[in-house]
Amino acid sequence: MARRQASTETPTPAPATKPRRRASEASAEPVVERVPRRRDAKPKARQADLVVIGAGSGGVAAARRAASLGARVILVERDAIGGTCVNRGCVPKKMLSYGAGWASILSTCLSHTGGKEDWRDAIVRVNAEVARLNASYKQRLNEAGVEIWHGAATFNDQGDVLVGNEVVRAGKVLIATGASPIDLPVPGGELVSSSDDLFTWQTVPASIVVIGGGYIAVEMASILSRYGVKVDLLVREDRLLPKFDHDIAAALAEALVAKGIRVHFRAEVSMVSQSNGAFEVCYTQADNPGRQQTVRAQAALAAIGRKPNVSELGLEALGVKLDRKGGIVVDRQFRSSVRAIHAIGDCMADNVHLTPVAVAQGRWLADRLYGKRGDRVDFDFVPTAVFCEPAIGAVGLTEAQAIEEAGGKADRVRTEIRRFVSLENRFGGVPQPSVFKLVFNARNDRLLGVHLMDGAAPEIVQTMALALRLGVKASHLKTTMPLHPSVAEELFG
C-alpha cells in the first residue's frame, strides 16, 4: 500500500493588491500548520482506517505502530507533538532536576551560587532538548506514513471527526488526549501558576508557595528549593505522597524539611490574593480550623491533581461513558461504550498516569486492531519514581496495600527497613539517610514491594520490577552476591 504524504498544507497565493511586508514583520509572525480547507460548502469526508486524537507518547506510539501495519492513519494534535511528557512533564522536569542538582552542588562547594542564572541556563538546555524531540517525533511519524494534522478535533453526531473545515470518517478512533492540571477551586485560584507554567519561566522567584502533596507538588518544591528559592509547601493531607508507602513518605518529609522547605500539613487553602507584587495564600489547619493563617511569597503554584482532556470533544452526545472524574471508561481492549472509539493514557478512567504505560497501551491496541496479536504488557508491576532530592523509587505493593490484600491480617505481611548514609552523602558531609523498605509475604517470603529513598532509587527500582515479576523471595536476595561499594547492595541484606 502506498504511503500518504504527511504534510497537509495547501499554500494559497496572496492577492496581487496586498501590500508587501518588511522582512522583519514577516519573520516575527508565528508559523502555523493548518488543516487544508476545502472551497465547497459541504466538504466530502476524508477516509482513514484510524484517527488518533492526541500526539502525546501514547498517541504517537499507536499511530506509528498502526501505520507500520498498513493502516491509513491520521494523527490530530492541537499543540506540540510529544504531549505532556515531552513538552510539560517528564523530560523537562527531569532535566530541571539535573540542573537543580548541579546548582545545589555548586552552592555547597562555593560560597555562593546564582540561582536565577542557573535556572536560565537550565531552561535553555531544556528548550533545546524539547525542540529536538519535537522534530524527532515528527520525522518518525512522517517516515511511518502517518498524516499529521494540527488543530482541535471534535465529533459530529454521526461520529465523524471534525478538524477545522475537514471531516474524517474512520473505521476506528483512538482518543489519547492526556490530562491537564486541575485549577485551584478557591477565590483567587486563577492567579496561581500550574506545573505547566513553570517550564515557561525565564527566571525564578525568591520565594514561592507550592500547594499540593502529590508527586508533582513534591518535585516542583524540591527542584525550586535547589535553585535557591524559599519554598512553603501546603499539604492538605497529614502526609506527603498518599499513593506511596507511609514510611518512605515520612522519611521524605523529614528530608525536605532538613533541606529548608517549610512543610505545612493538614492545610486547607481558602483564598489567594495578589498585591504589591506578592501573593498571599490563606489557609486553615485541621487541628485549629478557626484560625486563619497566611503565607506570603513572590509566587504561588498549585499542583493538586490532573483532569482528563476530553471536555471539548463532544463525547456526551455520542453516548461515550465517563467516570465521575471525567475519564473515559474502557474495557480490557481499551474500547469505550461506543465500540469504534478507543482510549488510552491519562484521559482514561482509573489509569496509571505514566508515559511508559500509555506507550505500551497504544502499541498493544494498534497490534490488536491491525492484525498482529502482540503480548500484553504486565501492568501489575509498574515502577515509578519521584524526582525530588532525595529521589523516591517504588514498585509493587506498599505495606498497607499488602495487608489489605491479605484480608486485613497484618501478621501475613513482613517488612524490612534499612536506613543508612550513602558514601556520596558522607563525602559531602551530609547526614541525610537513605531508606530502603522491602515488603514480603510472611508465609512464603515472596517479595511483594520495593520502596526506596535515595538519589539512585529510580535506577535501582527498574531492575526490581523484573525481580517482582519473576517471584523473587528473601532467600534469593540474601544469596545473591552484591556489588560493593554501592547503594544497591543494601537490598541484599
Side-chain angles (χ1 to χ4, degrees):
M1 179 182 295
R3 299 295 187 193
R4 292 174 174 268
Q5 295 297 318
S7 175
T8 62
E9 294 182 77
T10 306
T12 303
T17 56
K18 186 174 181 179
R20 297 185 62 183
R21 296 171 298 167
R22 295 179 180 176
S24 59
E25 295 174 337
S27 62
E29 294 183 357
V31 178
V32 179
E33 294 185 61
R34 293 186 174 88
V35 173
R37 297 178 179 274
R38 298 184 183 275
R39 298 181 182 277
D40 50 332
K42 294 183 179 180
K44 182 180 178 181
R46 292 281 301 276
Q47 299 293 325
D49 297 314
L50 176 67
V51 172
V52 180
I53 304 174
S57 300
V60 167
R64 288 184 63 203
R65 181 64 63 87
S68 71
L69 295 172
R72 294 173 298 170
V73 182
I74 293 177
L75 176 63
V76 184
E77 173 56 57
R78 65 181 180 180
D79 202 345
I81 301 293
T84 295
C85 177
V86 168
N87 299 286
R88 300 173 297 278
C90 313
V91 173
K93 170 192 70 179
K94 186 72 179 291
M95 293 191 72
L96 283 180
S97 183
Y98 282 135
W102 294 355
S104 179
I105 290 171
L106 284 172
S107 66
T108 301
C109 297
L110 305 176
S111 59
H112 70 279
T113 182
K116 291 181 172 58
E117 288 73 19
D118 296 335
W119 178 269
R120 279 193 286 267
D121 176 73
I123 287 296
V124 170
R125 296 170 187 263
V126 167
N127 289 339
E129 177 61 11
V130 169
R132 186 192 71 80
L133 288 172
N134 289 154
S136 175
Y137 272 42
K138 182 174 287 190
Q139 178 181 350
R140 284 182 286 173
L141 287 164
N142 289 339
E143 291 172 351
V146 176
E147 192 171 343
I148 305 172
W149 288 13
H150 287 267
T154 59
F155 289 91
N156 64 15
D157 294 340
Q158 290 74 43
D160 300 328
V161 177
L162 309 180
V163 185
N165 285 350
E166 285 289 302
V167 181
V168 188
R169 185 163 297 142
K172 303 291 182 183
V173 177
L174 173 60
I175 300 173
T177 48
S180 55
I182 294 175
D183 297 329
L184 185 64
V186 301
E190 71 281 356
L191 299 173
V192 305
S193 298
S194 71
S195 57
D196 287 359
D197 299 323
L198 179 137
F199 300 112
T200 67
W201 292 357
Q202 297 304 306
T203 186
V204 288
S207 58
I208 192 169
V209 179
V210 178
I211 303 165
Y215 76 94
I216 296 178
V218 167
E219 288 175 337
M220 296 298 102
S222 176
I223 288 172
L224 290 167
S225 175
R226 284 178 281 162
Y227 279 108
V229 181
K230 178 183 175 183
V231 179
D232 282 88
L233 182 60
L234 302 185
V235 184
R236 186 176 184 179
E237 308 296 333
D238 58 1
R239 53 164 289 185
L240 297 175
L241 304 176
K243 295 184 180 181
F244 288 74
D245 190 89
H246 63 276
D247 284 318
I248 298 297
L252 178 62
E254 294 175 2
L256 294 181
V257 170
K259 292 180 181 296
I261 296 175
R262 299 200 301 177
V263 183
H264 311 259
F265 288 112
R266 307 179 76 184
E268 186 75 38
V269 175
S270 57
M271 184 178 70
V272 179
S273 60
Q274 184 179 19
S275 62
N276 298 323
F279 287 83
E280 288 190 351
V281 181
C282 301
Y283 69 97
T284 58
Q285 290 185 294
D287 53 353
N288 192 0
R291 179 191 173 199
Q292 181 166 282
Q293 303 183 60
T294 301
V295 179
R296 186 177 176 87
Q298 286 189 0
L301 183 150
I304 58 173
R306 297 175 69 82
K307 60 181 184 296
N309 291 328
V310 300
S311 61
E312 298 178 1
L313 294 175
L315 298 178
E316 296 84 351
L318 296 177
V320 174
K321 184 178 179 181
L322 308 178
D323 72 349
R324 61 184 181 83
K325 295 182 179 180
I328 301 172
V329 177
V330 300
D331 62 14
R332 280 181 56 82
Q333 283 73 45
F334 305 109
R335 294 177 302 198
S336 73
S337 54
V338 176
R339 292 180 67 87
I341 298 177
H342 298 71
I344 61 169
D346 296 357
C347 66
M348 281 172 47
D350 299 323
N351 191 43
V352 180
H353 288 197
L354 293 172
T355 293
V357 172
V359 170
Q361 291 169 344
R363 288 174 178 165
W364 182 88
L365 178 61
D367 285 344
R368 183 180 178 277
L369 292 178
Y370 299 105
K372 180 182 177 182
R373 299 301 176 98
D375 294 332
R376 190 180 182 92
V377 174
D378 187 342
F379 293 109
D380 291 333
F381 301 107
V382 178
T384 187
V386 184
F387 293 103
C388 50
E389 176 58 41
I392 304 294
V395 64
L397 301 178
T398 66
E399 181 181 359
Q401 290 169 338
I403 293 173
E404 183 180 358
E405 287 205 0
K409 299 178 180 179
D411 60 330
R412 294 187 179 181
V413 176
R414 181 176 69 82
T415 64
E416 293 181 12
I417 299 180
R418 294 155 194 174
R419 299 176 185 272
F420 59 95
V421 178
S422 67
L423 288 180
E424 181 182 7
N425 282 344
R426 290 193 184 280
F427 177 82
V430 180
Q432 171 63 54
S434 299
V435 181
F436 285 10
K437 181 174 181 178
L438 305 179
V439 181
F440 296 94
N441 181 317
R443 292 185 169 183
N444 60 19
D445 254 1
R446 184 168 64 87
L447 184 63
L448 301 176
V450 178
H451 309 277
L452 316 175
M453 186 184 81
D454 182 86
E459 305 298 334
I460 296 173
V461 84
Q462 173 67 77
T463 303
M464 298 310 296
L466 179 60
L468 285 172
R469 284 197 69 196
L470 296 178
V472 162
K473 295 185 178 182
S475 60
H476 296 138
L477 294 176
K478 291 178 180 178
T479 56
T480 297
M481 193 65 66
L483 188 154
H484 177 79
S486 69
V487 169
E489 70 178 307
E490 296 293 335
L491 288 167
F492 300 93

